[in-house]
């Protein structure tokens, strides 16, 4: 069931502003971290490829700011509540080298796509259009897959370390997502479609949120296996 | 006097490829450093403003890559020779805090604009169109000026330190520019319009190059004074 963000459901509007705040801060943080990780690139070609992913994230961030403003929200106020969880994620997952950076770029991009795909069903048309546009930029991470395959072909020993790293990334991401969901009932309800006309149904939302994280984790595991990065 | 980069003047073509290689590596390095400096921003609004400058630099970089490819050059080979000087500049001018980062963003942007304006007169039409487009993005640094004025109004004591920092920035930039010019005769000749049909006139170029640096330094000094950042 979808709603009109500008309409008469204050819970829905607040939850969409929360969602966009989280996505917006996620995007500008991804910009920053990818740009920083690009400095570890072994060649200018690699550097430019990761920098391009960073720039794409920044443009998504700008679209989110526009949408928040359309909704009458202060974009920076909307992002504020998500700074601790997203910063904590990045602080705990700072890549030690270029290959770890590539795995993080790929895993982060894929998980974001899975999440946006899940959520797009439950939001109003303009917000959905934004998420679908962001999804249409998928495939940016193909260069990371190619570079990782080449690195593992050249030195099969790296795959064990990178597999553990991939597990740690998804573990940290889930842990922060769960922290956010526990703090913000209506947001958690929104992203799993449990925000009814009479407001959130917190119990239903919590269980469904856990199921959503499970689906995202399964998809992550399949992708890691396809890359021969099973831990 | 201008030439056709795709034409029959091998010195001109090599010099334009050099110029674009230097500009391209300058742009992607500026992207990286501005993105890194954005992490020191005191607020999300400030962070986004510096990140936007970084993204603009990346788009300029992409245009340079397209032009180099049109000229039949390998963009990364073209950038290679300029990596040491540009990396050295950034290593010696890593901002210690947000305000130093703002001064660097403003000074770097202004000097690049002055340089492009000087050079645009001496290059072929497509290369000139690229430089003019880059120039049309001028004004990006206005937010840096506003933020610096506000910081100095709040704490006049910072202006002395920032004035010294501005001098150091321009000193390092000139020193690296001179190093590059000394190594690359035809490039130095091109940027001052001393690349004649019979090739470079190295002596004339060297003196004219020094005069160009003097003009850029004067403009820098005027800007610093206007900002009450005279050292």
């Amino acid at each position: 069931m979808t709603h009109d963000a500008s309409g008469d459901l204050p819970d829905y509007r607040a939850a969409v502003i929360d969602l966009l705040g989280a996505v917006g801060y996620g995007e500008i943080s991804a910009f920053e971290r990818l740009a920083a990780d690009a400095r570890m690139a072994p060649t200018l070609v690699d550097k430019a490829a990761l920098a391009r992913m960073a720039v794409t994230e920044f443009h998504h961030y700008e679209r989110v700011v526009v949408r928040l403003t359309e909704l009458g929200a202060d974009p920076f106020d909307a992002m504020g509540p998500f700074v601790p969880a997203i910063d904590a994620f990045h602080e705990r997952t700072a890549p030690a080298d270029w290959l770890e950076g590539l795995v993080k770029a790929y895993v982060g991009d894929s998980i974001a796509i899975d999440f946006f795909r899940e959520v797009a069903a439950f939001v109003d048309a303009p917000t959905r259009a934004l998420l679908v546009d962001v999804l249409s930029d998928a495939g940016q991470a193909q260069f990371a897959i190619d570079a990782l395959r080449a690195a593992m072909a050249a030195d099969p020993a790296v795959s064990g370390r990178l597999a553990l790293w991939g597990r740690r990334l998804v573990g940290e991401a889930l842990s922060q997502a769960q922290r956010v969901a526990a703090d913000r009932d209506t947001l958690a309800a929104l992203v799993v479609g449990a925000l009814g006309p009479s407001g959130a149904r917190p119990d239903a939302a919590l269980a469904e949120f856990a199921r959503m994280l499970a689906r995202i984790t399964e998809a992550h595991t399949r992708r890691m296996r396809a890359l021969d990065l099973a831990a």
Side-chain angles (χ1 to χ4, degrees), chain A:
Chain A
M1 155 159 225
T2 65
H3 306 283
D4 175 1
S6 55
D8 51 4
L9 289 157
D11 269 7
Y12 176 77
R13 185 176 174 276
V16 159
I17 289 170
D18 256 16
L19 173 67
L20 293 171
V23 169
Y25 191 69
E27 305 274 21
I28 196 165
S29 301
F31 161 80
E32 271 194 332
R33 303 298 169 142
L34 289 167
D37 297 346
R39 296 178 67 172
M40 297 188 285
T43 70
L44 258 171
V45 179
D46 290 313
K47 185 192 293 276
L50 204 61
R52 190 164 291 116
M53 279 187 78
V55 167
T56 301
E57 300 287 353
F58 186 79
H59 290 309
H60 294 164
Y61 158 83
E62 287 186 309
R63 294 213 44 192
V64 168
V65 167
V66 168
R67 181 72 191 130
L68 280 165
T69 307
E70 283 169 2
L71 290 172
D74 178 303
F76 300 103
D77 288 350
M79 291 183 219
F82 305 100
V83 170
I86 292 170
D87 282 0
F89 168 74
H90 285 296
E91 274 152 29
R92 287 161 200 228
T93 59
D97 59 23
W98 171 244
L99 293 179
E100 289 191 5
L102 285 180
V103 172
K104 186 172 175 182
Y106 172 56
V107 168
D109 195 58
S110 312
I111 288 181
I113 288 169
D114 287 344
F115 175 69
F116 291 164
R117 212 166 261 152
E118 294 262 356
V119 175
F122 306 122
V123 293
D124 56 282
T127 306
R128 188 181 315 122
L130 190 163
L131 294 178
V132 168
D133 266 20
V134 168
L135 286 168
S136 73
D137 285 328
Q140 289 265 330
Q142 184 59 46
F143 96 93
I145 298 176
D146 296 341
L148 285 168
R149 283 195 200 283
M152 289 187 290
D155 177 10
V158 299
S159 70
R161 171 170 72 87
L162 295 180
L164 286 173
W165 171 245
R167 257 173 56 179
R168 190 162 139 223
L169 286 171
V170 81
E172 282 294 340
L174 295 180
S175 137
Q176 298 300 338
Q178 246 144 358
R179 196 218 269 195
V180 168
D183 280 355
R184 304 185 86 84
D185 276 356
T186 26
L187 173 58
L190 171 71
V191 300
V192 298
L195 195 63
S198 55
R201 291 172 285 126
D203 296 350
L206 213 62
E208 189 49 40
F209 192 80
R211 279 191 288 274
M212 183 186 74
L213 293 187
R215 284 191 296 276
I216 289 178
T217 309
E218 278 160 30
H220 164 80
T221 306
R222 274 196 303 275
R223 281 189 296 263
M224 290 290 101
R225 282 213 193 102
L227 251 179
D228 288 321
L229 277 180

